[in-house]
Amino acid sequence: MNDALLTRIAEALERIAPPPSSSADLAAAPAYVWNGAVISAVEEFNPVDYALLTGIDAQKQTLLENTRRHAAGHAAHDVLLWGARGTGKSAVVAAVVRKLQQEGQDIALLQCAIDELASLPRLFSILRDTARPFILFLDDLGFDENGVGDARSLRSLLQGGTAARPANVRLYVTSNRRHIVPRHLSEQDDPVNPRDVVDDKMALSDRFGLSLGFHAIDQQAYVDIVSGYAQSLGLSFDPLEAIQWATQRGSRSGRVAWQYVVELAGRSGVAI
């Protein structure tokens, strides 16, 4: 019996097997993680406050509105958040969910590691048994040239596949790449049909009804972010020192701003 046949038999048995039981009460916690086998509740869910996310006003408002629709049981999009590192893509996902929970909406965040994508059909089988709205969060997703098959599998889960995500689930995905799958100028040199190559690589990102871009920020926006964080913690700061901190790290971003504020808080003996 060859390896390919054994693989097909194993996959068939997995499809007909009952989904694993969740170890967590899916109605009780504000956030969860999926490890490929069971769902676990997050003990403490304390994301950055929505109001403190500065410089991404349009993106966070659009995401909030889409998530509010989903929480209310209305039509809502799967969302791709793409762009420069450290610009708030991951932070805004958690912040939006937390804000709606504080407003009394019954919605939860569920994060899945990107190396567990093959287990998503099993996860969807579990989530179909609950009516609670979930945001399934895939953070920092990207495929190399060897991962195109995985990208095709994911896009079938978003739309059109037999194991597509249930109605109470929306996927929020962050990626440094606008189209998730890497693209090259050589695509245009395909001797058969260059458009086919381009279409195949863009097919996954096209599955997302919302695509929100996050871009590198200028110096003033960076200082404004530091100021917002510092004021919320009752800390004073020197803008020139904050700029020097970013210069030494070769990046101006919300993440670097927060790291500088952590440094300030540590010097002042303030716990965060």
Side-chain angles (χ1 to χ4, degrees):
M1 188 176 294
N2 60 44
D3 291 342
L5 180 57
L6 286 173
T7 299
R8 290 199 298 272
I9 292 172
E11 290 174 345
L13 290 173
E14 183 175 2
R15 285 195 295 271
I16 65 176
S21 298
S22 168
S23 59
D25 181 351
L26 296 182
Y32 303 84
V33 292
W34 166 253
N35 67 2
V38 295
I39 300 173
S40 302
V42 174
E43 296 296 331
E44 293 187 13
F45 181 53
N46 296 308
V48 175
D49 187 82
Y50 176 87
L52 291 179
L53 294 174
T54 305
I56 53 171
D57 294 345
Q59 296 95 322
K60 74 177 190 178
Q61 182 58 42
T62 300
L63 191 68
L64 177 63
E65 178 58 29
N66 187 71
T67 313
R68 180 175 281 121
R69 293 175 187 172
H70 182 52
H74 302 158
H77 298 290
D78 298 297
V79 184
L80 172 63
L81 303 91
W82 60 272
R85 70 187 191 278
T87 49
K89 301 184 298 294
S90 302
V92 73
V93 172
V96 159
V97 172
R98 188 57 177 162
K99 177 174 174 59
L100 291 177
Q101 291 171 347
Q102 291 170 338
E103 292 176 359
Q105 298 288 334
D106 185 24
I107 186 171
L109 185 70
L110 197 166
Q111 184 163 359
C112 172
I114 58 175
D115 57 358
E116 295 294 346
L117 295 181
S119 70
L120 287 183
R122 297 199 300 275
L123 175 60
F124 291 164
S125 295
I126 296 173
L127 296 179
R128 282 191 182 93
D129 292 333
T130 177
R132 189 183 191 190
F134 280 86
I135 296 300
L136 178 58
F137 182 36
L138 303 178
D139 192 23
D140 198 20
L141 184 65
F143 299 102
D144 58 22
E145 294 295 342
N146 297 322
V148 174
D150 291 332
R152 293 192 182 107
S153 297
L154 179 57
R155 75 191 193 208
S156 72
L157 294 175
L158 282 165
Q159 281 184 5
T162 57
R165 54 140 179 80
N168 63 319
V169 176
R170 290 296 180 273
L171 268 70
Y172 283 12
V173 174
T174 68
S175 176
N176 291 333
R177 300 189 186 111
R178 184 171 188 171
H179 299 293
I180 307 178
V181 178
R183 299 187 58 202
H184 307 286
L185 290 175
S186 60
E187 293 168 2
Q188 304 300 327
D189 299 329
D190 187 281
V192 180
N193 191 335
R195 187 64 202 175
D196 287 349
V197 178
V198 175
D199 285 348
D200 186 55
K201 290 196 172 184
M202 294 179 65
L204 176 54
S205 58
D206 284 350
R207 291 293 198 276
F208 295 90
L210 277 181
S211 179
L212 303 177
F214 290 70
H215 309 289
I217 59 176
D218 60 25
Q219 182 169 288
Q220 186 57 53
Y222 164 76
V223 172
D224 289 344
I225 293 171
V226 172
S227 178
Y229 285 145
Q231 288 180 17
S232 71
L233 296 169
L235 300 170
S236 59
F237 77 101
D238 178 357
L240 292 179
E241 184 188 56
I243 293 169
Q244 183 181 27
W245 177 276
T247 301
Q248 291 172 343
R249 281 149 186 79
S251 173
R252 289 191 300 263
S253 69
R255 180 180 298 152
V256 172
W258 176 250
Q259 290 168 347
Y260 173 67
V261 171
V262 170
E263 171 68 16
L264 289 177
R267 293 178 197 167
S268 302
V270 176
I272 297 179

